[in-house]
Amino acid sequence: MIKVLPRNIIRIIVLVLFQVFILNNLQFSGFVNPYFYVLFILLLPFETPGWLLLSLAFVLGLSIDIFAQTPGLHAAATVFMAYLRPLVMDYFAPRDGYISGTYPRVFYYGFGWFLQYAAILVFAHHFFLFYLEVFRLSDFFFTFRRVIFSGILTLFLVVISQYFIYRR
Amino acid sequence: MRNLIRFILNNHFFILFILFEIVALTLVFQNNNYQKAFVFNLSRNISGQINSRIFSFRQYLDLYQTNIALEEENVRLRNNLLSSYKQNMRSPGSAEFDSAWVQQYNFIPARVISNSVNKQNNFISINKGAVHGIKPDMAVISHDGIVGVVTGVSDHFASVIPLLNTDLRISSKIKNTGYFGSLHWDGKDPGSALLHEMPHHVTMNTGDTIVTSGFSAIFPEGIRIGTIADFAITGGNFYTVVIDLSTDFRRLNHVYVIENLFRDELLDLERQEGYD
């Protein structure tokens, strides 16, 4: 339990820096941009209390906003995603619940479980983010395409990270 | 009262969620107007410091292209020098620089330290600020053409709202006929923008050059914007023209900030005359 705190602090810093300095500078064909920093919310321990989950999401989103000069945009989307997290977890819970001492990762609950869990939250985040950014329905399908492509890329990075960085 | 507290405790997750969303959305909607572009004065200075480190590294990777572009520009400028022209007048001693000429525009060179092209409302930060004479509402161009307008300034950095921002509109005209319209980006392709309000009787061809009209007190007249890629009548009597932008926003590095030395005079006059 003591190790959880420093590990998560390092993780949030690394993810914000990685997002701001590397991913935000990659320009894939103009409209696809992965938002890999959501991995932080996905990997928080099962026991994280609700208020802490939402506060962390807010802080994480806001720190991305500061560097991207989009006040409130990522914060709103990340808080929305954090709000959905317990609901999605309940929905996909194994028959005898989550075992204490485990984390929401491929290693503990398998590829299928993780993909479903991550996909729903990543796409919820991206939908909220891109439609809030555009804030009109006139280019609905163009925005939809941006959501899908960026979402797939983010999801790809999230799943890959499970095999390369967080093997345990 | 006790029921209220119990209600809040029972639903604290949802209530907290709503509270955070209200804070975040307030931030979003207070700041979506580019005129009041959010000035993270402190945070911009911090992120500006870090971004300029990163960019000083990235500069090395772009050095080759940048050199070529600068070289081309130098050649073009040298060609325009008075010394590259042959004096064709019969009488010697004609005045070349005299009091009949007053400098109107002042150019300040700057480097881009952070940039994006993949959002709806993109922003650029540059490494010059109030100390170097940058003020809000100055024009920014690159060697290829128009870039954007300065919105916020801190001591050593400034943020620029580029053409690739759905909030910015720029008065522009077709170079050879002089008809003007308002240019804006539709948020899709970072290589093209749309020109609206072009009357349907105007003749134009694909490939015609589009330049700034000089009607605002921001941009000088004749700064290159791009060329016509396509045009069609959409709704009513106006053409919507698709423009290929001449500036490659994905590889922006050296820019010039343009100060209009007569801006205050012009704005004063317009205010007196009651324009709006």
Side-chain angles (χ1 to χ4, degrees):
Chain A
M1 195 62 206
I2 291 168
K3 274 172 71 182
V4 170
L5 188 64
R7 186 189 290 167
N8 277 290
I9 290 173
I10 292 170
R11 187 182 295 154
I12 199 168
I13 293 172
V14 168
L15 281 175
V16 168
L17 294 182
F18 184 64
Q19 179 68 41
V20 169
F21 291 130
I22 300 188
L23 293 182
N24 282 358
N25 287 319
L26 297 182
Q27 319 283 9
F28 297 107
S29 77
F31 64 85
V32 179
N33 196 3
Y35 291 106
F36 182 60
Y37 69 91
V38 297
L39 182 69
F40 178 76
I41 303 295
L42 292 175
L43 293 189
L44 281 174
F46 290 110
E47 302 86 8
T48 315
W51 60 270
L52 186 62
L53 178 65
L54 291 177
S55 316
L56 285 172
F58 187 74
V59 170
L60 173 65
L62 208 59
S63 40
I64 299 287
D65 282 329
I66 286 173
F67 286 99
Q69 301 210 3
T70 53
L73 188 66
H74 288 278
T78 316
V79 168
F80 175 68
M81 174 193 170
Y83 176 71
L84 291 185
R85 192 184 107 128
L87 309 180
V88 175
M89 278 193 161
D90 283 350
Y91 188 79
F92 289 118
R95 206 181 312 151
D96 33 357
Y98 296 104
I99 304 149
S100 70
T102 62
Y103 295 94
R105 290 191 200 151
V106 171
F107 180 79
Y108 295 104
Y109 292 97
F111 177 78
W113 177 87
F114 186 80
L115 188 68
Q116 286 174 322
Y117 161 72
I120 288 186
L121 289 179
V122 164
F123 279 106
H125 172 271
H126 282 43
F127 263 104
F128 198 99
L129 181 75
F130 282 96
Y131 279 99
L132 183 63
E133 186 191 22
V134 177
F135 208 65
R136 55 168 188 259
L137 288 178
S138 59
D139 289 320
F140 185 86
F141 290 104
F142 176 69
T143 311
F144 195 76
R145 220 166 63 206
R146 295 175 65 203
V147 171
I148 298 299
F149 283 126
S150 298
I152 287 172
L153 200 54
T154 306
L155 201 58
F156 177 74
L157 289 175
V158 163
V159 170
I160 286 288
S161 76
Q162 290 296 301
Y163 289 95
F164 282 89
I165 308 165
Y166 294 113
R167 247 174 294 186
R168 265 211 56 132
Chain B
M1 192 62 203
R2 185 181 298 167
N3 281 341
L4 181 68
I5 292 172
R6 191 179 305 141
F7 174 79
I8 289 175
L9 284 181
N10 284 343
N11 293 294
H12 75 278
F13 188 56
F14 182 69
I15 291 168
L16 205 60
F17 164 65
I18 296 295
L19 277 179
F20 275 128
E21 285 294 343
I22 289 172
V23 174
L25 292 178
T26 314
L27 280 176
V28 171
F29 293 116
Q30 264 181 353
N31 299 299
N32 67 347
N33 186 348
Y34 81 92
Q35 299 288 2
K36 291 180 260 165
F38 196 61
V39 187
F40 282 103
N41 225 328
L42 180 68
S43 67
R44 184 170 42 208
N45 266 325
I46 297 170
S47 63
Q49 292 290 353
I50 301 174
N51 277 335
S52 57
R53 296 258 162 85
I54 299 278
F55 257 73
S56 66
F57 171 70
R58 280 190 49 169
Q59 237 155 252
Y60 283 105
L61 306 179
D62 294 337
L63 215 51
Y64 181 67
Q65 277 90 356
T66 308
N67 266 334
I68 290 179
L70 288 176
E71 213 168 298
E72 280 168 3
E73 183 172 30
N74 273 336
V75 169
R76 208 163 61 239
L77 292 177
R78 270 174 198 284
N79 288 340
N80 287 338
L81 278 180
L82 218 53
S83 58
S84 354
Y85 288 82
K86 190 166 183 287
Q87 183 67 268
N88 238 354
M89 277 182 216
R90 294 242 176 94
S91 61
S94 64
E96 285 164 357
F97 295 105
D98 64 2
S99 58
W101 294 88
V102 181
Q103 188 182 11
Q104 183 180 3
Y105 295 107
N106 185 24
F107 288 69
I108 305 166
R111 313 287 301 254
V112 171
I113 54 169
S114 84
N115 185 10
S116 69
V117 299
N118 47 18
K119 282 178 267 188
Q120 294 291 299
N121 294 317
N122 295 296
F123 274 96
I124 294 177
S125 304
I126 56 175
N127 68 348
K128 294 282 166 75
V131 171
H132 310 94
I134 311 271
K135 290 184 217 112
D137 285 340
M138 283 188 180
V140 182
I141 63 166
S142 74
H143 52 82
D144 289 329
I146 190 169
V147 174
V149 178
V150 176
T151 53
V153 177
S154 61
D155 276 355
H156 296 93
F157 300 99
S159 33
V160 175
I161 171 166
L163 188 56
L164 300 190
N165 186 311
T166 50
D167 285 336
L168 187 67
R169 279 166 187 279
I170 287 170
S171 173
S172 48
K173 65 179 183 184
I174 303 178
K175 195 177 180 185
N176 56 2
T177 60
Y179 283 100
F180 61 93
S182 126
L183 184 90
H184 103 284
W185 187 54
D186 57 358
K188 291 180 183 167
D189 177 7
S192 71
L194 300 179
L195 184 58
H196 293 289
E197 298 158 29
M198 194 54 78
H200 74 286
H201 62 267
V202 177
T203 52
M204 55 184 132
N205 297 306
T206 55
D208 282 358
T209 307
I210 304 291
V211 295
T212 53
S213 70
F215 290 166
S216 67
I218 299 175
F219 283 100
E221 187 186 346
I223 301 284
R224 197 177 150 82
I225 295 175
T227 53
I228 296 179
D230 193 14
F231 52 91
I233 291 185
T234 49
N237 289 327
F238 294 106
Y239 279 121
T240 295
V241 187
V242 181
I243 312 288
D244 268 341
L245 296 174
S246 58
T247 308
D248 187 352
F249 284 88
R250 278 172 277 215
R251 281 210 329 228
L252 216 51
N253 196 345
H254 288 264
V255 295
Y256 301 96
V257 183
I258 306 181
E259 179 180 17
N260 184 351
L261 300 170
F262 293 159
R263 177 182 157 77
D264 290 341
E265 189 180 329
L266 184 63
L267 289 183
D268 269 355
L269 178 68
E270 289 182 354
R271 204 174 303 126
Q272 279 169 27
E273 299 287 327
Y275 293 6
D276 205 347

